[in-house]
Amino acid sequence: MGGTQTSGAQATQAIRGGKDGRGGIGNVLSGIAVAVGFVLFLGGFVWGALVYQPYTVPTDSMMPTVRPGDRVLAQRIDGGQVRRGDVVVFTDAAWSDSPMVKRVVGIGGDTVKCCGPGGRLTVNGQELDEPYVDPDKGRPDPVTGIAAPSDTPFEVTVPEGNLFLLGDRRAASLDSRAHLQEAGQGTVPRSAVRARVDAVAWPSMTMPARPRTYAALPGGISQPGPLKLQLAAVGAGAALVVLGAAYGPLARMLGGGRRRGRAQERAGVR
């Protein structure tokens, strides 16, 4: 009888002390880790769904930045937040009934010209360095030897509240240049913008860089959205859930190994 009571008391003490992985401070901490992990994991997804809208790009007008069939994540923004160099998703009935993706080259008050003395696009007289433009831009100029960033020469002063937009594949993009003879000279109102492309999510995850060539102009360039922070929250949450859930089985396995070792030692001594 006494032996049975002693064994029961030892078992209870082992459980309370967490010797079998089911109790003690380790179990409490693992539960907290799982709970926090779920909050981070689900919170990151919900946050992302509120801030970002996925779009599938149907044409090649934004190559090589975005290719046909790419799935992009576009941050929901107000048109007033748009800066030069942004790749935006917009809808304008004069262009198409479907959402379109183009790059903002000029904003209200800017004079956009092609081309400057150096054979480049200019904004307010400043020549732009455009590494994002598709290199297949057409035949080089016979004088400068530089391929023009547009086959169509133009000079447009953007009305206040509007945007001048071009595709990165200038040789095959129907953009503001195709609407120069219309009211606004091919510009669209800021209110037409629905979102700003922050990343290509499929087939590979990439985040197009903000063009530094626009940084010196008034207003500068936009900053990336919170996508990296959201992905970090999802990743950290998943890791905490896995580690927290794994604590119990690992503790029991290790505890069982230690008990077997002690039993073998006692057997050897006897």
Side-chain angles (χ1 to χ4, degrees):
M1 178 71 71
T4 303
Q5 292 176 343
T6 301
S7 299
Q10 290 174 342
T12 302
Q13 185 64 30
I15 292 173
R16 289 176 179 174
K19 292 181 181 179
D20 65 348
R22 294 189 298 238
I25 188 65
N27 190 52
V28 173
L29 292 177
S30 69
I32 292 174
V34 170
V36 172
F38 269 118
V39 171
L40 286 174
F41 186 80
L42 295 177
F45 270 114
V46 172
W47 185 15
L50 292 173
V51 175
Y52 287 95
Q53 173 72 39
Y55 290 92
T56 300
V57 178
T59 70
D60 61 357
S61 67
M62 281 299 295
M63 289 179 58
T65 305
V66 184
R67 300 180 181 277
D70 281 359
R71 191 76 166 170
V72 301
L73 293 177
Q75 183 183 2
R76 294 182 174 95
I77 61 169
D78 181 82
Q81 298 173 264
V82 174
R83 299 289 182 270
R84 302 177 191 88
D86 287 346
V87 176
V88 297
V89 180
F90 68 98
T91 304
D92 189 282
W95 291 44
S96 172
D97 293 329
S98 303
M100 302 190 72
V101 181
K102 303 293 178 186
R103 188 181 297 275
V104 177
V105 174
I107 62 176
D110 286 347
T111 297
V112 185
K113 180 181 179 180
C114 183
C115 292
R120 294 180 175 182
L121 201 69
T122 68
V123 175
N124 302 331
Q126 175 178 312
E127 290 198 340
L128 302 180
D129 178 19
E130 299 185 285
Y132 48 79
V133 172
D134 183 60
D136 183 18
K137 296 178 291 188
R139 291 174 297 179
D141 183 273
V143 177
T144 64
I146 300 174
S150 172
D151 292 334
T152 305
F154 60 86
E155 183 171 354
V156 173
T157 298
V158 184
E160 289 295 337
N162 282 24
L163 305 168
F164 191 85
L165 303 131
L166 297 177
D168 287 356
R169 193 180 186 196
R170 301 283 164 80
S173 175
L174 293 176
D175 44 39
S176 287
R177 297 169 298 170
H179 302 273
L180 292 173
Q181 305 306 316
E182 300 173 9
Q185 292 185 282
T187 63
V188 300
R190 284 180 176 268
S191 59
V193 174
R194 297 289 174 264
R196 175 172 53 213
V197 175
D198 216 14
V200 178
W202 191 90
S204 61
M205 188 69 179
T206 58
M207 298 186 71
R210 264 50 174 185
R212 302 303 304 175
T213 190
Y214 299 95
L217 292 167
I221 56 177
S222 64
Q223 298 301 312
L227 182 59
K228 286 185 177 180
L229 187 57
Q230 292 165 354
L231 292 175
V234 170
L240 284 173
V241 169
V242 170
L243 292 174
Y247 171 78
L250 286 174
R252 286 192 291 272
M253 183 179 66
L254 293 174
R258 286 195 295 269
R259 285 194 295 273
R260 285 192 297 272
R262 288 195 294 269
Q264 292 171 354
E265 289 177 0
R266 288 194 297 270
V269 169
R270 292 174 184 172

